[in-house]
């Protein structure tokens, strides 16, 4: 099992309590959102090692994908799951946010190196196959992942 498969596996294990409440599809999407945000933070920590222009393109793509997952997938799915009851959807949203914080803690303990890894790009690429992306988000994300791969190979 490659490291990027391990990243996805870790997420699926860590979010098992929500699977019962929310169903596996939205659970996987929340895991992907956590991964994207984690990688974005890791990039900030190592940005001095890389070209500023590359960093801008990567951040732009990851941010676009993160916003898409939250606003176009997770929020509407939660509302739909709870029959339009925004209070219950908000409660589950807060649970998802707590989960993402625990993902971050776990990943920070496990992946302490500050360099970009091709595994991050591979894992995010796997995530992107789980939803249909708008053309703009898909293009921004592809640019980000291509830049991550390129920078990872330089080290």
């Amino acid at each position: 099992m490659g490291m990027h498969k391990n990243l996805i596996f870790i997420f699926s294990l860590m979010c098992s309590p929500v699977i019962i409440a929310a169903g596996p599809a939205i659970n996987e999407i929340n895991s992907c959102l956590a991964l994207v945000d984690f990688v974005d933070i890791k990039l900030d920590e190592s940005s001095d090692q890389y070209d500023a222009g590359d960093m801008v393109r990567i951040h732009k793509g990851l941010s676009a994908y993160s916003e898409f997952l939250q606003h176009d997938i997770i929020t509407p799915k939660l509302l739909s799951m709870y029959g339009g009851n925004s209070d219950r959807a908000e409660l589950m949203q807060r649970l998802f946010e707590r989960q993402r914080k625990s993902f971050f803690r776990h990943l920070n303990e496990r992946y302490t190196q500050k360099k970009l890894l091709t595994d991050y790009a591979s894992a995010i690429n796997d995530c992107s196959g789980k939803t249909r992306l708008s053309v703009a988000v898909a293009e921004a994300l592809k640019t980000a992942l291509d830049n991550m791969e390129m920078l990872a190979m330089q080290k």
Side-chain angles (χ1 to χ4, degrees):
M1 193 185 303
M3 193 197 290
H4 85 275
K5 295 287 185 203
N6 282 341
L7 285 170
I8 300 295
F9 182 68
I10 289 165
F11 285 132
S12 60
L13 284 180
M14 291 179 73
C15 45
S16 55
V18 178
I19 287 175
I20 296 159
I26 193 168
N27 199 52
E28 282 184 84
I29 301 302
N30 190 52
S31 299
C32 288
L33 179 57
L35 175 64
V36 173
D37 291 347
F38 173 77
V39 172
D40 209 19
I41 289 166
K42 280 291 174 196
L43 277 167
D44 274 341
E45 293 174 358
S46 59
S47 61
D48 57 339
Q49 302 174 36
Y50 303 108
D51 177 75
D54 289 329
M55 289 292 102
V56 167
R57 286 186 288 279
I58 292 169
H59 282 303
K60 182 181 175 193
L62 294 180
S63 294
Y65 185 45
S66 177
E67 287 174 25
F68 169 81
L69 290 175
Q70 181 61 63
H71 299 293
D72 294 273
I73 306 291
I74 294 175
T75 300
K77 270 188 184 257
L78 286 175
L79 264 175
S80 168
M81 273 173 39
Y82 292 109
N85 183 327
S86 58
D87 289 340
R88 289 189 63 200
E90 180 61 33
L91 221 63
M92 183 56 76
Q93 179 61 50
R94 284 202 295 274
L95 178 61
F96 275 175
E97 287 163 7
R98 279 201 307 272
Q99 265 188 327
R100 285 197 296 271
K101 286 178 185 159
S102 71
F103 292 163
F104 285 9
R105 278 194 306 275
H106 183 77
L107 287 172
N108 271 320
E109 289 162 12
R110 192 172 171 127
Y111 300 99
T112 54
Q113 65 273 39
K114 290 185 178 181
K115 61 185 178 179
L116 285 176
L117 298 174
T118 55
D119 295 324
Y120 288 154
S122 297
I124 291 171
N125 191 49
D126 286 354
C127 280
S128 70
K130 296 181 190 305
T131 56
R132 277 186 74 170
L133 304 178
S134 69
V135 174
V137 172
E139 286 175 358
L141 183 59
K142 182 182 182 332
T143 299
L145 297 179
D146 288 348
N147 275 266
M148 285 172 66
E149 293 276 354
M150 182 187 68
L151 293 178
M153 287 189 283
Q154 289 175 7
K155 292 290 169 187

